[in-house]
Amino acid sequence: MTDHTADVTPSPTSGLFEAERSAEIVAASFVGTADDRLKEILTALVRHAHAFVKDTGLTVEEWAQGIRFLTRTGQKCDATRQEFILLSDVLGVSMLVETLNNPADGQFTESTVEGPFHMVDSPPRALGDSIDEVHGGGEPCLVTGRITDADGIPVAGAAVDVWQADADGYYDVQRPGEVPDRNLRGLFTADADGRFRFRTIVPRYYPIPTDGPVGDLLKATGRHPNRAAHLHIEVSAPGIRTLTTHLFVDESPYLDSDAVFGVKESLIRTFTQVDDPAMAAEHGLPNPFRHVDFPVTVQRRAPGG
Ligand SMILES: [Fe+2]
């Protein structure tokens, strides 16, 4: 048998358990936490969890059901499936964390959730390339944009990482072997003027995966699982705050009931129908095609920030 006595340090005295003071008693056990922020978060977590149990009058069976639900959530996770992010998303927690940590202050492009599908690195591609490697699966589309700071100064060489669902509403990682790896993903480098452009297909709305515990939660609450059609964009560069956002298609259903609460008015764009053979030829697209322009305003970090 292992001798555990050698490394036992006495717990701080917090008194015997009693329901009335339960959160206070448990919080006192964190007194030796070296990391102040960890101590603050654990203390608040216990305070809210205990208040939740008391407010709801949680029964033993309900508590066990909750434990089973979280266990299944963890068991559903693997290299290409992140059920915990999905859970955080459908409860609006992801959007809250994202929004509170990235205030747009009326001058920067608004952020939204990263979502559970940015699981693989996007392949580097040249400006103007197509991210659609299936060809013909949806309406051809040209996406253009320019990245500047709040003073209109371009962010030359910014990394523009994009990923989206296909015309059937699936990401590549959901169709292994059926579509090329990294289909509808691309990592672009903005030019000296902060501009980027690439070809793709108009994204389609899609349901988040419902074959796990999060799907059960949606069913039990009568919620639909759909996300409004969108293209994910993440912009990063030295000296700027990384921006994680979406571009939403204005004609998509579910804009006002997105399953993860990800839609912000300023991110909805018209994907304009263009009938211009010369422009189509210039960009290597069939005519007619759709075009969307997405000017992006990013925030410069304070020196040393
Ligand atoms: Fe998405």
Side-chain angles (χ1 to χ4, degrees):
M1 278 184 61
T2 315
D3 177 9
H4 293 294
T5 55
D7 50 25
V8 169
T9 44
S11 287
T13 306
S14 48
L16 297 180
F17 190 85
E18 49 180 286
E20 190 121 314
R21 296 175 49 242
S22 65
E24 194 187 317
I25 290 165
V26 176
S29 73
F30 301 140
V31 71
T33 310
D35 183 329
D36 285 343
R37 179 63 176 157
L38 176 63
K39 183 177 170 186
E40 181 186 359
I41 288 172
L42 285 174
T43 301
L45 178 68
V46 165
R47 187 171 72 242
H48 287 278
H50 285 226
F52 166 75
V53 170
K54 290 171 183 174
D55 287 353
T56 57
L58 201 70
T59 67
V60 172
E61 176 46 34
E62 288 163 344
W63 170 84
Q65 195 179 343
I67 295 290
R68 285 196 295 274
F69 177 84
L70 292 174
T71 303
R72 286 172 54 221
T73 301
Q75 288 168 338
K76 195 72 187 169
C77 294
D78 60 27
T80 56
R81 177 78 179 256
Q82 231 305 352
E83 194 77 357
F84 267 114
I85 291 183
L86 213 52
L87 178 59
S88 168
D89 288 353
V90 302
L91 294 179
V93 175
S94 308
M95 266 309 271
L96 183 60
V97 172
E98 180 65 43
T99 302
L100 292 180
N101 280 279
N102 294 287
D105 293 337
Q107 49 180 336
F108 309 114
T109 299
E110 290 196 283
S111 64
T112 188
V113 288
E114 182 174 68
F117 291 114
H118 192 227
M119 316 205 67
V120 290
D121 290 338
S122 300
R125 300 185 195 270
L127 289 177
D129 275 0
S130 177
I131 61 171
D132 172 27
E133 295 183 5
V134 173
H135 309 297
E139 269 192 277
C141 179
L142 174 68
V143 180
T144 56
R146 184 169 181 240
I147 301 155
T148 62
D149 66 12
D151 297 322
I153 298 167
V155 182
V160 182
D161 190 352
V162 300
W163 66 103
Q164 69 169 80
D166 64 23
D168 298 322
Y170 292 100
Y171 286 83
D172 57 345
V173 292
Q174 295 175 291
R175 313 184 100 170
E178 285 181 61
V179 297
D181 276 353
R182 321 278 158 118
N183 185 44
L184 294 172
R185 297 177 191 268
L187 180 61
F188 296 91
T189 304
D191 68 15
D193 197 30
R195 294 183 191 279
F196 64 90
R197 65 182 191 285
F198 61 92
R199 290 169 288 153
T200 184
I201 54 173
V202 177
R204 179 185 179 271
Y205 67 90
Y206 64 85
I208 60 170
T210 54
D211 60 338
V214 171
D216 295 344
L217 185 152
L218 294 180
K219 266 182 232 116
T221 52
R223 282 173 52 178
H224 74 73
N226 294 297
R227 296 223 52 210
H230 60 272
L231 172 75
H232 293 261
I233 299 190
E234 194 170 281
V235 177
S236 58
I240 70 160
R241 285 180 72 103
T242 297
L243 171 71
T244 302
T245 194
H246 292 9
L247 193 50
F248 289 95
V249 183
D250 71 346
E251 63 209 36
S252 173
Y254 309 115
L255 284 167
D256 59 357
S257 64
D258 186 70
V260 308
F261 309 95
V263 181
K264 288 176 176 170
E265 187 79 40
S266 69
L267 302 175
I268 303 173
R269 287 288 190 287
T270 301
F271 283 53
T272 311
Q273 185 85 43
V274 180
D275 184 356
D276 183 337
M279 188 178 171
E282 180 195 339
H283 291 283
L285 283 157
N287 192 58
F289 61 96
R290 301 287 200 105
H291 178 214
V292 61
D293 188 59
F294 190 44
V296 176
T297 310
V298 292
Q299 184 175 7
R300 291 209 186 266
R301 286 182 186 281

